[in-house]
Amino acid sequence: MDTSVSNEDFLATVAEKSNGAALRGDYAHMDAHYVVQQDWAAYTEAEHDLWRKLYQRQMALLPGRACDEFIEALAKMDISAGIPVFEKTSKELFAATGWTIVAVPGLIPELTFFDHLANRRFPVTVWLRKPEEFNYIVEPDVFHDFFGHVPLLFNPVFADYMQRYGQGGLKAMRLGGLDELARLYWYTVEFGLINTPAGIRIYGAGILSSGGEVEYCLTRGTKSRHIRLDIERCLRTLYKIDSYQETYFVIDSYQQLFDGTAPDFTPIYQKLKSMDVLPANTLLADEIELLPAL
Ligand code: PHE
Ligand code: CO
């Protein structure tokens, strides 16, 4: 299948979606898969310093909140000293799970993104946020992509889930199920929580790279729900992109993600077309809140 997307088409689509605002990043020097070179020597000392500050802020928050798989992989990756060299971690990752890291200019077309995942390549944005974006950033940067996403790719089951998700994305594009499938990515890969013997822990990259949501998402008595992941339910649930999540879906294991996404989704997309979407703060009658107010 031809998975190349013309740059003009993509930039035109993005400009439409974001009311004409320019996409951040340099899209002038890339190949047909939006892959660029990470020009590591071009990062400034100020950028490496900002990375260290971001890293240290997260590290103070993560013990007892992030899942063990994340904390252990991150320690081995040894990326506290500055913006990492993608190639080094990519080799280590390939040895562990057969995934590689590819550098990209920023947001990339859906088709290109799914094609990378389906081929066990994780796209990581090359640029770092500005100091004034320390707490909040609109588009994903190298800190979110690398710090947030790469550690879990060292876990074999999660790595397999991510590949399957990419394959599922290519299929959903043909079936008109993209909105639904995107919700699953959002509520698992980006904002997922996992039940462990020690308590609920974070595995979602959007939380793990966030200054505020790490604590918020595990706090009782907020307006946010914590409910067991049911895949069909998740596919129906709208999400917030400009505030903390109002629902967190909790899994029991990465195997649950892999097994739950094995079936053919064609009938699910079909069925959901005749059902209402659910607002982000929904709690259905038969659902139990896993972190109720005390
Ligand atoms: N198995 C799903 C299908 O047949 C695809 C999928 C894979 C969906 C992984 C989500 C995650 O459409
Ligand atoms: Co992300």
Side-chain angles (χ1 to χ4, degrees), residues 216-217 219-227 240 242-248 279-283 289 291-293:
Y216 174 84
C217 74
T219 304
R220 291 174 190 271
T222 69
K223 68 171 178 178
S224 299
R225 321 281 193 189
H226 302 76
I227 57 177
K240 299 277 171 168
D242 49 6
S243 68
Y244 295 152
Q245 297 309 303
E246 293 180 357
T247 297
Y248 297 98
N281 66 344
T282 303
L283 187 69
E289 290 204 68
L291 277 183

Side-chain angles (χ1 to χ4, degrees), residues 214-285:
V214 168
E215 279 184 285
Y216 174 84
C217 74
L218 297 173
T219 304
R220 291 174 190 271
T222 69
K223 68 171 178 178
S224 299
R225 321 281 193 189
H226 302 76
I227 57 177
R228 185 155 264 118
L229 175 69
D230 174 275
I231 291 193
E232 263 186 52
R233 181 350 176 148
C234 178
L235 291 171
R236 293 174 65 197
T237 309
L238 301 175
Y239 55 81
K240 299 277 171 168
I241 57 166
D242 49 6
S243 68
Y244 295 152
Q245 297 309 303
E246 293 180 357
T247 297
Y248 297 98
F249 286 98
V250 184
I251 61 172
D252 288 316
S253 66
Y254 303 115
Q255 196 67 44
Q256 179 192 352
L257 288 178
F258 188 70
D259 294 344
T261 51
D264 179 10
F265 277 26
T266 311
I268 305 181
Y269 296 139
Q270 212 48 47
K271 173 177 162 194
L272 294 185
K273 285 201 199 318
S274 61
M275 293 172 80
D276 287 332
V277 292
L278 301 171
N281 66 344
T282 303
L283 187 69
L284 299 176

Side-chain angles (χ1 to χ4, degrees), residues 2 8 13 23 25 46 48 58 63 109 153 176 188 201 226 265 267:
D2 179 14
E8 291 90 273
T13 318
L23 200 60
H48 288 303
Q58 291 317 102
L153 292 170
T188 61
R201 295 287 183 270
H226 302 76
F265 277 26

Side-chain angles (χ1 to χ4, degrees), residues 67 69 152 155 157-158 194 203 251 253-258:
C67 63
E69 293 81 10
L152 256 286
N155 179 274
V157 181
F158 188 82
I194 182 165
Y203 72 92
I251 61 172
S253 66
Y254 303 115
Q255 196 67 44
Q256 179 192 352
L257 288 178
F258 188 70

Side-chain angles (χ1 to χ4, degrees), residues 161 164-165 167-168 171 175 181 184 261-266 269:
Y161 168 65
R164 174 173 279 173
Y165 185 89
Q167 294 162 344
K171 180 169 162 185
L175 296 173
L181 195 66
L184 183 65
T261 51
D264 179 10
F265 277 26
T266 311
Y269 296 139

Side-chain angles (χ1 to χ4, degrees), residues 32-294:
H33 301 275
Y34 284 72
V35 172
V36 298
Q37 293 294 316
Q38 182 200 24
D39 186 4
W40 192 81
Y43 294 119
T44 65
E45 198 37 54
E47 287 178 316
H48 288 303
D49 191 53
L50 182 60
W51 173 281
R52 286 191 286 274
K53 291 200 170 81
L54 287 161
Y55 187 97
Q56 283 158 14
R57 187 248 316 253
Q58 291 317 102
M59 287 316 285
L61 295 166
L62 295 183
R65 298 195 178 96
C67 63
D68 290 346
E69 293 81 10
F70 182 86
I71 291 188
E72 284 163 19
L74 186 66
K76 286 198 192 127
M77 284 162 62
D78 190 17
I79 55 166
S80 61
I83 301 171
V85 176
F86 292 3
E87 197 51 39
K88 174 180 180 284
T89 304
S90 186
K91 285 194 180 114
E92 294 162 0
L93 182 60
F94 187 76
T97 58
W99 275 73
T100 58
I101 295 167
V102 291
V104 292
L107 289 173
I108 59 176
E110 275 151 348
L111 176 62
T112 311
F113 179 70
F114 293 140
D115 180 55
H116 280 308
L117 297 188
N119 289 286
R120 294 176 94 85
R121 296 187 298 261
F122 193 77
V124 174
T125 299
V126 289
W127 55 266
L128 182 67
R129 67 193 67 188
K130 300 273 165 261
E132 55 273 23
E133 297 166 311
F134 195 75
N135 290 313
Y136 184 75
I137 183 156
V138 183
E139 291 168 40
D141 72 339
V142 59
F143 186 74
H144 166 79
D145 284 344
F146 202 107
F147 180 97
H149 285 286
V150 175
L152 256 286
L153 292 170
F154 280 86
N155 179 274
V157 181
F158 188 82
D160 285 350
Y161 168 65
M162 287 289 277
Q163 176 179 26
R164 174 173 279 173
Y165 185 89
Q167 294 162 344
L170 296 172
K171 180 169 162 185
M173 292 184 86
R174 299 192 292 270
L175 296 173
L178 263 194
D179 288 347
E180 288 73 18
L181 195 66
R183 294 180 193 131
L184 183 65
Y185 191 90
W186 189 266
Y187 279 121
T188 61
V189 180
E190 295 292 355
F191 293 95
L193 302 181
I194 182 165
N195 241 322
T196 80
I200 295 180
R201 295 287 183 270
I202 306 159
Y203 72 92
I207 309 176
L208 291 165
S209 63
S210 153
E213 199 155 356
V214 168
E215 279 184 285
Y216 174 84
C217 74
L218 297 173
T219 304
R220 291 174 190 271
T222 69
K223 68 171 178 178
S224 299
R225 321 281 193 189
H226 302 76
I227 57 177
R228 185 155 264 118
L229 175 69
D230 174 275
I231 291 193
E232 263 186 52
R233 181 350 176 148
C234 178
L235 291 171
R236 293 174 65 197
T237 309
L238 301 175
Y239 55 81
K240 299 277 171 168
I241 57 166
D242 49 6
S243 68
Y244 295 152
Q245 297 309 303
E246 293 180 357
T247 297
Y248 297 98
F249 286 98
V250 184
I251 61 172
D252 288 316
S253 66
Y254 303 115
Q255 196 67 44
Q256 179 192 352
L257 288 178
F258 188 70
D259 294 344
T261 51
D264 179 10
F265 277 26
T266 311
I268 305 181
Y269 296 139
Q270 212 48 47
K271 173 177 162 194
L272 294 185
K273 285 201 199 318
S274 61
M275 293 172 80
D276 287 332
V277 292
L278 301 171
N281 66 344
T282 303
L283 187 69
L284 299 176
D286 59 345
E287 286 175 340
I288 300 162
E289 290 204 68
L290 299 179
L291 277 183
L294 288 171

